[in-house]
Amino acid sequence: MSHHLLVAAALAAGGRHPGSAPLAAPGSLRTWRGLIGGAETAGIDLVTLDDSFLLRGGAHLDALLIASAIAPATTRIGLVPAVMTAHTEPFHVATGLQTLDHVSRGRAGWLVSTGDARAEAPLFGRRDALALTDADLLDELEDAVVLSRLLWDSWEDDAVIRDVATGRYLDRDRIHPARFHGRFFSVEGASIVPRSPQGQLPVAIEVRTPAELEAAARHADVVFVSAQDVAGALSILREIRDTERRVARVGEPLRVFTDLAVLLEDTAGAATSALERLDEHAGAPLSAEIRVVAATADAVAQAIGSLHDLGYDGVRLHPARLPDDLGRIERDLLPLLAAAGHHQPADAPTSLRSRLRLPRSENRFSDSRGVLA
């Protein structure tokens, strides 16, 4: 245990538990500003924003647009929206994320996902849903990440010169068109957005299968995993390191966060009763999808501490009820984690890469011209 644990919060239009009440005013930016601003004030390191093209749990706003709208109102918290790859154009995805990195001054990340691709296919009418296999969707996701990384490097850091004497805005020798020709799409050209503060945005993947883990080991910076107990968490951590070696991963090891759905009450009995009511309302227990800890803040802090001791870089907390459990995380849980030495809130603005302890990203086309690390 050489570093403090990073704490992320997973935000969706409702709580993580499908039996929870829908978030009031999910279409209001004021609602999201309150949730994300409160998380930043409490010391949460980053938030992930769920998204779907489907009406899961009701109407909701676009995650990338929420993050871009909220970014100027925050200064420290990392903003990591889910952006799907199955029905989107990678050029638009890459430039949208670059824009978020600019307006957040280097705090953007990408939770890349295939989404609910087969169910979403009829909404676009361009692809046969039955022809979308899991393997194909994952291959396409990998290609989208590779292409996005090329576009993010297509402008060198000092490509914009604004030379009045010669009338040149750009040094064209420092623009490098991405030339990508793959199975799913081809792109010839550079980004239309100047290189962003981080250069390469941290890319995160939720890993639930060995194939997703291999894709993450090849292309991602962060993985979100889920284990039902400490023994399972240790096994997953070993599998991640084995997979990194098998695919000959280049660069930093993956930053590993474990997912926990949390429901907090003042007593263990009250928490258990509240979870039972949610399970009954939903018609199925949430524990089939993710580890659920329904307990007091002290008990949850101890559970998180044991994961930190195993070597996890972070924990992503899914409030079972939003905003109630997010409020309890901020008010009750985070102070306990800090007091136990597991978590230390950032005391100054920094990039998301720095928060994740990732090194400065050099542009592949330049030598050592500066970017924000």
Side-chain angles (χ1 to χ4, degrees), residues 123-193:
L123 301 175
F124 293 85
R126 295 187 302 162
R127 310 178 75 175
D128 179 2
L130 296 178
L132 299 175
T133 68
D134 289 345
D136 289 340
L137 291 169
L138 200 53
D139 286 346
E140 186 179 42
L141 178 149
E142 291 190 59
D143 279 1
V145 174
V146 170
L147 173 56
S148 294
R149 291 195 183 281
L150 285 171
L151 289 167
W152 293 341
D153 272 350
S154 62
W155 292 45
E156 292 189 39
D157 298 303
D158 48 4
V160 178
I161 55 176
R162 295 187 178 91
D163 188 339
V164 176
T166 62
R168 293 185 306 153
Y169 176 71
L170 290 173
D171 180 347
R172 68 178 186 181
D173 291 336
R174 297 180 182 184
I175 303 294
H176 307 276
R179 295 187 172 90
F180 184 92
H181 299 279
R183 176 182 165 200
F184 303 97
F185 41 74
S186 297
V187 170
E188 283 271 358
S191 175
I192 56 172
V193 181

Side-chain angles (χ1 to χ4, degrees), residues 17 39 64 74 106 168 195 209 228 238 263 305 327 346 351 368:
H17 201 298
L64 177 55
T74 56
R168 293 185 306 153
R195 198 164 193 260
T209 68
Q228 290 295 334
R238 289 172 174 165
L263 187 155
S351 71
S368 58

Side-chain angles (χ1 to χ4, degrees), residues 94-322:
T95 53
L97 288 163
Q98 274 186 300
T99 300
L100 173 60
D101 202 41
H102 276 288
V103 299
S104 67
R105 299 178 297 281
R107 292 178 288 118
W110 179 15
L111 179 55
V112 63
S113 166
T114 59
D116 300 307
R118 277 178 283 274
E120 294 165 346
L123 301 175
F124 293 85
R126 295 187 302 162
R127 310 178 75 175
D128 179 2
L130 296 178
L132 299 175
T133 68
D134 289 345
D136 289 340
L137 291 169
L138 200 53
D139 286 346
E140 186 179 42
L141 178 149
E142 291 190 59
D143 279 1
V145 174
V146 170
L147 173 56
S148 294
R149 291 195 183 281
L150 285 171
L151 289 167
W152 293 341
D153 272 350
S154 62
W155 292 45
E156 292 189 39
D157 298 303
D158 48 4
V160 178
I161 55 176
R162 295 187 178 91
D163 188 339
V164 176
T166 62
R168 293 185 306 153
Y169 176 71
L170 290 173
D171 180 347
R172 68 178 186 181
D173 291 336
R174 297 180 182 184
I175 303 294
H176 307 276
R179 295 187 172 90
F180 184 92
H181 299 279
R183 176 182 165 200
F184 303 97
F185 41 74
S186 297
V187 170
E188 283 271 358
S191 175
I192 56 172
V193 181
R195 198 164 193 260
S196 68
Q198 293 183 106
Q200 291 291 322
L201 280 62
V203 175
I205 299 179
E206 289 182 355
V207 167
R208 298 294 183 265
T209 68
E212 290 170 343
L213 177 53
E214 287 204 3
R218 284 191 287 267
H219 301 295
D221 302 291
V222 177
V223 288
F224 297 112
V225 300
S226 182
Q228 290 295 334
D229 52 35
V230 171
L234 181 59
S235 176
I236 288 175
L237 205 53
R238 289 172 174 165
E239 184 182 357
I240 290 170
R241 300 311 175 206
D242 288 344
T243 303
E244 288 177 329
R245 285 188 285 272
R246 188 169 63 255
V247 304
R249 177 179 172 82
V250 176
E252 289 285 306
L254 284 164
R255 302 300 189 252
V256 185
F257 285 63
T258 186
D259 283 326
L260 287 180
V262 294
L263 187 155
L264 296 172
E265 290 287 354
D266 292 334
T267 67
T272 300
S273 297
L275 180 60
E276 289 174 349
R277 288 194 296 274
L278 291 178
D279 286 346
E280 183 179 357
H281 185 67
L286 178 60
S287 57
E289 306 171 12
I290 188 174
R291 182 182 177 189
V292 182
V293 184
T296 64
D298 285 291
V300 175
Q302 290 176 24
I304 292 173
S306 66
L307 294 167
H308 189 200
D309 294 340
L310 292 180
Y312 275 80
D313 298 289
V315 60
R316 184 170 64 150
L317 303 175
H318 298 246
R321 304 162 298 185
L322 199 64

Side-chain angles (χ1 to χ4, degrees), residues 1 4-5 7 42-43 297-298 301-302 304-305 308 329-345:
M1 187 176 70
H4 290 103
L5 196 74
V7 175
D298 285 291
Q302 290 176 24
I304 292 173
H308 189 200
I329 289 168
E330 295 165 358
R331 184 177 64 251
D332 302 333
L333 180 59
L334 287 178
L336 292 174
L337 293 176
H342 294 303
H343 179 242
Q344 182 175 4

